[in-house]
């Protein structure tokens, strides 16, 4: 019996590799978290990744049962959080995301890894919501071409080296406060935001504890259940927002992630 999703949503995730929309936050909570993020942005550009290691509100959000219960329905009862990131498209910005599989460069295996993409602003059709190729999580991991294109939001501008014309994409618009889940091998991308508001996606990567990092000694957070595998160094909750020890752990976690993403 699933905890939060319906049986047909769980079956849909297994068949298609994604599930949306899932209601998570009430409007006032969505606004509060948006303000928290924007307060961080106004003070320290570049500190958005893995905010849960240095900000208690972000730690609480990655543990929120309204997010973690649906994740448990597709991943199982023991859950680690590998990272927290943001895909933010500014109003009328040309930035886009090319079609790719997340599994390509992360080094995480096996692929029991799921992204919760939480909208902290409206992510309707004009904002360039994610587009999914249904069922592509059952494909192998394909090679990608690094385009390094300026407007591409991916680290290398990578695009999957596969002809996708025969596989229609499904747009995944979300209202503010809703989220989608997608599998780490699912092919997905997105178009530019042509609205006058920011499109803010909070992107939380969850995985089962038997997953290994094949590239570096990596860190994670135990979100639920237990980790009997010990493949990741488990990091504690921030006791103090932006404290010295917290910032040091954060810098170390980011450095490891950079090494994982850029080592081939
Ligand atoms: O937000 C987007 O447009 C893309 C997000 C993405 O690629 C991801 O979460 O893996």
């Amino acid at each position: 019996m699933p905890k939060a999703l319906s049986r047909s949503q769980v079956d849909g995730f297994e068949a298609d590799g994604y599930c949306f929309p899932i209601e998570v936050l009430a409007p006032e909570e969505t606004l509060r978290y948006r303000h928290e993020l924007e307060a961080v942005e106004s003070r320290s550009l570049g500190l958005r990744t893995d905010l849960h290691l240095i900000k208690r509100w972000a730690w609480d959000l990655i543990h929120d049962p309204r997010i973690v219960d649906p994740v448990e329905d597709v991943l199982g009862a023991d859950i680690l959080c590998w990272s927290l990131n943001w895909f933010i498209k500014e109003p009328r910005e040309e930035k886009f995301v090319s079609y790719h599989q997340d599994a390509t460069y992360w080094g995480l295996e096996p692929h029991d890894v799921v992204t919760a993409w939480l909208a902290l602003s409206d992510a309707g059709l004009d904002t360039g919501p994610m587009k999914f190729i249904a069922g592509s999580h059952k494909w192998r991991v394909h090679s990608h071409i690094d385009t390094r294109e300026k407007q591409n939001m991916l680290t290398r501008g990578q695009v999957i080296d596969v002809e996708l014309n025969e596989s229609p994409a499904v747009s995944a618009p979300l209202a503010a406060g809703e989220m989608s889940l997608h599998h780490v091998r699912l092919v997905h991308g997105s178009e530019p935001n042509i609205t006058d508001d920011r499109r803010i996606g909070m992107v939380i990567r969850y995985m089962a504890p038997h997953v290994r990092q094949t590239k570096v000694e990596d860190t994670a957070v135990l979100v639920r259940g237990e980790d009997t595998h010990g493949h990741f160094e488990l990091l504690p909750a921030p006791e103090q927002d932006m404290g010295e020890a917290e910032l040091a752990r954060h810098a170390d976690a980011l450095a490891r992630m950079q090494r994982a993403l850029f080592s081939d």
Side-chain angles (χ1 to χ4, degrees):
M1 183 75 181
K3 237 178 170 156
L5 300 178
S6 65
R7 172 49 55 198
S8 74
Q9 283 175 309
V10 174
D11 292 345
F13 184 88
E14 274 160 23
D16 299 328
Y18 59 81
C19 174
F20 74 93
I22 302 165
E23 262 180 54
V24 177
L25 300 175
E28 63 279 6
E29 292 176 290
T30 311
L31 209 54
R32 177 165 81 76
Y33 285 121
R34 178 176 179 160
H35 288 155
E36 292 281 15
L37 166 71
E38 290 179 341
V40 170
E41 289 178 319
S42 68
R43 266 178 269 128
S44 51
L45 281 175
L47 259 192
R48 290 190 305 215
T49 302
D50 281 356
L51 268 185
H52 60 294
L53 300 178
I54 49 174
K55 287 281 182 186
R56 189 70 208 201
W57 64 264
W59 175 272
D60 291 342
L61 197 46
I62 68 158
H63 287 78
D64 192 308
R66 293 169 295 178
I67 298 175
V68 183
D69 285 351
V71 170
E72 176 172 335
D73 286 339
V74 299
L75 211 54
D78 299 321
I79 301 173
L80 301 181
C81 172
W82 179 54
S83 73
L84 158 58
N85 226 317
W86 302 86
F87 273 85
I88 300 178
K89 292 179 187 161
E90 301 300 338
R92 305 207 170 266
E93 192 177 49
E94 287 174 25
K95 294 251 190 287
F96 71 99
V97 175
S98 50
Y99 279 115
H100 67 286
Q101 292 171 298
D102 293 332
T104 318
Y105 297 114
W106 291 357
L108 301 176
E109 287 174 21
H111 292 149
D112 296 309
V113 184
V114 166
T115 292
W117 196 108
L118 176 64
L120 291 191
S121 62
D122 273 322
L125 286 175
D126 285 350
T127 68
M130 277 193 294
K131 295 185 299 180
F132 300 134
I133 306 292
S136 54
H137 65 306
K138 295 189 176 154
W139 300 358
R140 67 178 169 83
V141 177
H142 284 270
S143 57
H144 285 56
I145 300 165
D146 293 349
T147 69
R148 312 265 172 198
E149 218 172 329
K150 193 158 158 264
Q151 301 295 357
N152 195 320
M153 297 177 80
L154 299 180
T155 46
R156 312 154 182 241
Q158 63 266 31
V159 57
I160 189 166
D161 193 10
V162 166
E163 192 60 65
L164 291 174
N165 295 345
E166 310 226 332
S167 319
V170 177
S171 286
L174 296 172
E178 291 179 341
M179 75 170 179
S180 59
L181 297 178
H182 70 264
H183 187 279
V184 72
R185 269 198 316 269
L186 188 77
V187 177
H188 59 289
S190 67
E191 304 288 334
N193 172 16
I194 57 169
T195 74
D196 292 326
D197 192 13
R198 315 177 80 192
R199 189 215 67 160
I200 305 176
M202 178 180 185
V203 179
I204 315 167
R205 319 290 190 183
Y206 294 102
M207 61 191 173
H210 62 259
V211 170
R212 284 178 186 276
Q213 169 56 272
T214 60
K215 294 178 159 193
V216 295
E217 293 292 311
D218 212 345
T219 62
V221 162
L222 179 62
V223 167
R224 180 171 282 185
E226 54 178 348
D227 173 9
T228 56
H229 297 269
H231 295 158
F232 290 79
E233 182 184 333
L234 299 181
L235 299 181
E239 275 177 27
Q240 192 193 338
D241 273 8
M242 311 278 275
E244 209 176 304
E246 286 78 1
L247 284 168
R249 278 197 295 271
H250 180 248
D252 178 55
L254 292 197
R256 296 187 202 208
M257 187 185 294
Q258 287 299 315
R259 282 205 296 281
L261 293 181
F262 290 101
S263 77
D264 283 322

